Amino acid sequence: MEPLLTLVAVTGLLLLAGTLGIMRLRRPAAALRGGLAAMFTLTAGAHFVGMREEIVAMVPPALPAPGLLVTLTGIAELACALGLLWQRTARASAAVLSTMLVVMFPANVYAASGDVSWWDELGPRTVIQAVFLTATVTVLIRHRPAAARTPAKPPLNPPAPRPSPGQGRRPRRPVIRTRAREDSS
């Protein structure tokens, strides 16, 4: 539940900052990237501290080395969270995170099969995962780097073409500067 709250709260705050004048956050996709980055930073941290044992227990028994898998997915989530913040890598990070959400869904199904609280049951867990997947796919589709958004505009006053040497110009005479002498009288 905390990751969902983080996604909603951070995205909302960034949208508010955009409406208050922070130009880079005016586009909803930029605010969503920030919300996803905060959420995946939170979930990546849980792979190492606090909830590591619970996450390792979520790995289905058919998969080998659950501790290693949790470590690798935590590193991938953290790297992609950082990648969401850089325009050049935001779409690739969103694609990797979308794929991870789909591939890791069986672990959610396995985790929901035990004695769990209501928000960890399969129904709510599936809805939350669908929200996360929708957010990452939205960034994947809607995010375009700044160069792709703004077409190059011609300058308002283009510079005049320079004439070729010897065309339309008189040769410049050298300027000879002399010092004025003071007459001593």
Side-chain angles (χ1 to χ4, degrees), residues 11-102:
T11 302
L13 287 172
L14 294 176
L15 282 170
L16 177 64
T19 58
L20 293 176
I22 298 176
M23 296 302 289
R24 290 187 175 257
L25 299 175
R26 283 247 159 115
R27 294 177 47 83
L32 187 56
R33 283 175 33 220
L36 282 167
M39 185 204 71
F40 278 108
T41 299
L42 176 72
T43 60
H47 284 70
F48 303 103
V49 179
M51 293 184 59
R52 180 171 175 82
E53 302 310 318
E54 290 91 342
I55 295 173
V56 170
M58 285 176 60
V59 178
L63 297 176
L68 177 62
L69 290 175
V70 168
T71 299
L72 293 176
T73 56
I75 292 169
E77 284 182 15
L78 187 57
C80 288
L82 293 172
L84 285 169
L85 299 176
W86 191 30
Q87 285 201 4
R88 291 183 180 192
T89 58
R91 290 188 76 208
S93 295
V96 170
L97 289 168
S98 298
T99 303
M100 285 178 61
L101 286 168
V102 170

Side-chain angles (χ1 to χ4, degrees), residues 131-181:
V131 170
F132 297 160
L133 184 60
T134 301
T136 57
V137 169
T138 299
V139 170
L140 180 62
I141 293 170
R142 303 281 300 168
H143 174 72
R144 294 179 311 229
R149 270 196 308 270
T150 53
K153 294 179 184 175
L156 294 176
N157 296 322
R162 297 183 128 201
S164 303
Q167 226 183 14
R169 278 207 216 170
R170 284 190 287 164
R172 296 181 82 191
R173 284 193 232 159
V175 177
I176 302 172
R177 299 185 188 254
T178 58
R179 279 192 205 168
R181 289 190 182 169

